[in-house]
Structure formats: structure tokens, C-alpha cells
Amino acid sequence: ISTRMPPHTHDAFEVNLVVAGRLEYRTEEGIVAARAGQCVLLPAGIVHELVDASPDLALWVLEWRHGSV
């Protein structure tokens, strides 16, 4: 995983479960940090940017789109 990602959005609700390491996102509301065992919840349409990630970062990324089960 790259340690940086440019600002972007998704058309789905996104859950990032950090399994190992740590990460930091920049959102419209500020910096959101998470480490192993924590989740980052990103509503659809929110601009976010990965600004830092540890070399050992491992995470699960789950997306829910409106109307999906």
C-alpha cells in the first residue's frame, strides 16, 4: 500500500478496518488516525486523502452502496 493517496471520493459508504500498522486520512473535518484494531468510517461522497501509512499497514476495506444487501 502506498503511504499517500491523492484526495478522492467514493459513491459508497466505506469502512477501513486496520488489521496491522497505522494510517492517517485528511478529511474535510481534519486528520483521522487509526491503528491496528480500529476502524475509519467514510460516508459516501466525503473527500479524503491518505496522508500517511506505516510500512506494515494491513487493512480490510468494505464498501456498501445504497440498495445493496
Side-chain angles (χ1 to χ4, degrees):
I1 295 176
S2 173
T3 58
R4 295 190 63 85
M5 184 177 294
H8 62 284
T9 64
H10 300 278
D11 62 353
F13 185 86
E14 183 177 317
V15 178
N16 290 216
L17 171 60
V18 181
V19 177
R22 62 169 180 73
L23 60 73
E24 288 186 1
Y25 282 113
R26 178 178 294 124
T27 71
E28 299 161 353
E29 296 185 12
I31 298 293
V32 176
R35 56 184 163 76
Q38 296 180 321
C39 288
V40 176
L41 308 175
L42 299 165
I46 191 170
V47 177
H48 58 286
E49 171 186 9
L50 181 64
V51 293
D52 193 26
S54 63
D56 62 337
L57 177 65
L59 69 155
W60 284 93
V61 178
L62 307 167
E63 290 188 349
W64 279 272
R65 286 182 169 64
H66 180 73
S68 65
V69 177

